[in-house]
């Protein structure tokens, strides 16, 4: 690729290449064209089957769509969006499970990362501070998963908490 950059690529145990994109704005024709170029490049470069997953900050109002890049090239885009109501429900669930000293499922543990990343900016500092405190007490069996979530949560602490003292306390 001469210019542009795909966000992330993952390969599954089955050999499926996942192009994981995050889009903070609305999905436009220009955005879909950009995604198409990533898919074409990755399909050629990595010589495998590809799945395009787009994590949206704004509701795309659809789960997937086929985009015609050219008459012979159609790209299927899968959209993932979490509403604020859904994030608040997940937040309350995590808080309650940790208070009850219950083990979090892998999905619930991942919710800590998603909530910290996608909560509205006006609520982010208080929610992230609360999640950081809960995370320290959370029972997550998979140590690698816990470490990955901690890295994402740490990044959100640095992004949304302005006080260096509070950042150091929460990161500790």
């Amino acid at each position: 690729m001469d210019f542009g950059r795909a966000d992330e690529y993952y390969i599954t145990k089955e050999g499926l290449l996942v192009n994981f994109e995050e889009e903070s704005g609305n999905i436009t024709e220009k955005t879909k064209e950009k995604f198409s170029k990533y898919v074409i490049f990755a399909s050629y470069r990595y010589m495998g089957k590809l799945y395009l997953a787009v994590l949206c900050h704004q509701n795309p109002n659809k789960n997937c769509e086929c985009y015609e890049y050219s008459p012979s090239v159609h790209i299927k885009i899968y959209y993932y969006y979490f509403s604020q109501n859904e994030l608040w429900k997940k937040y309350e669930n995590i808080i309650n499970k940790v208070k009850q000293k219950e083990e979090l499922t892998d999905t619930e543990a991942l919710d800590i990362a998603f909530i910290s990343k996608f909560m509205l900016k006006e609520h982010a500092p208080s929610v992230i501070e609360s999640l950081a405190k809960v995370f320290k007490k959370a029972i997550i069996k998979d140590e690698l998963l816990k470490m990955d979530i901690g890295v994402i949560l740490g990044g959100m602490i640095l992004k949304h908490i302005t006080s260096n003292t509070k950042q150091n306390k929460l990161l500790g």
Side-chain angles (χ1 to χ4, degrees), residues 2-170:
D2 293 333
F3 60 90
R5 61 168 184 76
D7 287 347
E8 298 175 56
Y9 289 114
Y10 297 96
I11 192 151
T12 66
K13 292 176 186 172
E14 296 79 21
L16 179 67
L17 182 64
V18 178
N19 178 193
F20 185 73
E21 295 293 326
E22 185 176 336
E23 193 59 42
S24 57
N26 288 321
I27 305 297
T28 65
E29 286 297 309
K30 187 175 179 179
T31 313
K32 291 184 264 191
E33 187 172 316
K34 172 182 76 171
F35 293 156
S36 298
K37 290 176 182 178
Y38 296 162
V39 167
I40 293 165
F41 170 78
S43 296
Y44 172 75
R45 174 70 175 90
Y46 300 108
M47 305 285 258
K49 298 189 185 277
L50 191 131
Y51 178 86
L52 175 60
V54 180
L55 191 55
C56 302
H57 288 256
Q58 296 182 23
N59 192 349
N61 296 314
K62 55 186 125 188
N63 294 330
C64 68
E65 79 173 298
C66 280
Y67 174 70
E68 182 179 321
Y69 177 72
S70 68
S72 294
V73 180
H74 293 79
I75 306 297
K76 191 163 188 181
I77 307 168
Y78 292 89
Y79 298 111
Y80 296 91
Y81 169 74
F82 301 99
S83 72
Q84 292 299 301
N85 283 340
E86 191 177 350
L87 291 173
W88 281 114
K89 286 177 187 173
K90 292 175 181 293
Y91 173 78
E92 289 175 18
N93 179 56
I94 290 166
I95 299 296
N96 291 333
K97 284 194 92 168
V98 172
K99 279 183 184 175
Q100 299 296 323
K101 297 183 180 173
E102 294 180 35
E103 179 182 340
L104 298 179
T105 65
D106 289 353
T107 303
E108 290 167 334
L110 282 168
D111 286 343
I112 294 171
F114 282 111
I115 294 165
S116 69
K117 178 94 172 108
F118 293 103
M119 186 58 70
L120 284 175
K121 289 180 183 178
E122 63 196 64
H123 303 295
S126 61
V127 167
I128 290 168
E129 184 174 347
S130 172
L131 286 173
K133 292 174 182 173
V134 165
F135 180 71
K136 291 176 184 175
K137 299 175 186 173
I139 302 169
I140 302 170
K141 293 277 178 163
D142 185 334
E143 288 298 321
L144 184 58
L145 176 63
K146 188 169 186 171
M147 185 172 59
D148 288 343
I149 293 165
V151 168
I152 294 167
L153 186 56
M156 294 299 101
I157 289 169
L158 294 173
K159 180 176 181 177
H160 293 286
I161 306 296
T162 55
S163 163
N164 286 340
T165 305
K166 192 177 272 191
Q167 282 180 351
N168 290 333
K169 181 180 176 187
L170 294 173

